[in-house]
Each structure stands twice: as structure tokens, then as C-alpha cells.
Amino acid sequence: MTTLSAVVADARSRLAAAGLPDATIEARILIGGVLGLTATDVFVRGDREIGGPELEKIAEAIGRRLKREPVHRILGEREFHGMVLKLSPETLEPRPDTEILVDAILPYVRQFVASRGEVRILDLGTGTGAILLALLKECPQATGVGTDLSEAALQTARENAARLGLAGRFETIRSNWLEEVTGRFDIVVSNPPYIRTGVIAALEPEVREFDPLRALDGGPDGLDCYRAIAAGAGEVLAPGGMVGVEIGYDQRDSVTTIFQAVGFVLHQALRDFGDKDRVLLFARAEPGH
């Protein structure tokens, strides 16, 4: 038998010795997650006794983190925009920067509802369903379709929708971007793969070894998926609709050029928490522009 505070201290020491920069935070999150404790519990219940099976589970989790498996992959879930989402090997971990895309597109979702009483959203490469499910959560009048090439990812997204009570407004389609998509949508959103093929090998092990390659690799220049989205978005976008995409920090100009070439105009650009370009919103160009 030992105590929670002793277990956290030991885990912090081991993670720090391995060179992990956020050892204190990660030790608390990991152990709290394994034990089903809140962050507050981990702080205030330091004298809680830990023994036998719980120690074994914690040891296994710490061992996985020392092999550079990300904390939330070990726990199997991650919070995003106030939701707890299940992860799977075929899905990216939703990151805080992607919440910027949700918050940027949300006013336009509400505008459609205010004018028409409903809004239809398409999420391309949905993964866990994070973006679309966040929008559905925030807007009860919204319905949406999430697409992905991975059936396993779509299954994860459907499970997340069910867990959140959103399954009735959430559909999935297995599709390579827009190839299998029909109908019209007021909002099209995507966080597509945008990393250049040649730099993937140099990424941190947490990303390179545990995120699905298909969700990272954007082709030789990192822009293949934007070309596919831009090429088909006009066919499915309803009049007055909006396209929102997450981008890499150095891709604003090149992605804007791709969309402008097929009749879109840049409506809004937003930066992330590190003050880097992260989200672009496009509208159809008005006649004469």
C-alpha cells in the first residue's frame, strides 16, 4: 500500500527523468484518469490509499507514456469544446487549436438558424466527430454529416455522437473527401491532413508513431486535401454558405490561392493560441468578383 501523493510524485519523477517537459501535469492527468478521479481529487486526496490492482494499472500507464504514447491515447478519451470524446487508433486527438475553427464557424451556423430555422453541416474527414459534434451541441437546430475514408474512424464518431445524445442529428458517410457526398450544405468544415510528406519522419514520436498517418500526410506540399475540398465544395455548398478549414501555420496564402482559383473569396482568417495562422473561412465569390 502507498498513497496517491506518493504515486503522483514517483510518476512525476520518472516522466521528468525521461525528459518529458510537462511531467507534473501529465502525472496528475494520467493517474487521475486511471483512477477515475477529477483534477481536484488528485490535489486534495493525497492521503488516499493506493494498492494492488490500481498500482498495476498506474504502472502500465506510466510505462506506456515513457514509450512516448500520448497521455490521452493511454486514457482513451480527450475533452474537446466541453465534450469528452472517445479516441481510437484511426482518429487524431482533437487539439485545442481546432476549437478555434468551431468558434469561428458557430456565428454563421446561428445566422442560418435565425433566418431559416435550421442549418445543415458537412464535416470532411470527421475523425472523432469533434468539430461537427461541437457545432451540434451548441446549436440544437443543426443537423450534419461527417465523412471519413476510415470506417473505424466513422464508428468512433458514431459512438461519440451516441454518448453525447447527438446521434439523431449526426450521420456518417464513408467517402474520400466529397466523392460520395450528395445534397446541399450550409456549412462545410474540415481539419484535413496538412503536413508535408517529407517532414513526417521528423515529427515528435507522440505524433509520428501514434497518430494515424492518413490523418497527417497532406502530400508533397501539404496541400493535396485542400485541392480536393476546394474542387468539390462548390457542388455541395448552398447559396450563402461558408467553408471553414484548419491550416498549417505557413499555409494561409497557398490555401487561399487554391480556393480563389475555383471561385471562393477569403472571408475571415484567424490565428491560434500561439499567434499563428490556423483557420480560414471562405465564401463563394459574388458575380463580378
Side-chain angles (χ1 to χ4, degrees), residues 253-270:
D253 291 345
S254 51
V255 172
T256 298
T257 297
I258 289 168
F259 276 86
Q260 286 177 336
V262 292
F264 286 90
V265 293
L266 180 62
H267 182 78
Q268 190 176 1
L270 297 98

Side-chain angles (χ1 to χ4, degrees), residues 221-223 226-227 247-248 250-260 280 282:
D221 63 358
L223 301 171
Y226 298 105
R227 295 186 183 96
I247 61 168
D250 59 350
Q251 294 176 322
R252 172 176 171 166
D253 291 345
S254 51
V255 172
T256 298
T257 297
I258 289 168
F259 276 86
Q260 286 177 336
L280 302 179
F282 296 96

Side-chain angles (χ1 to χ4, degrees), residues 113 117-120 136 138-143 169:
V113 171
E118 62 181 8
V119 62
R120 189 160 160 78
L136 297 184
E138 295 294 331
C139 186
Q141 300 89 347
T143 60
R169 296 187 282 127

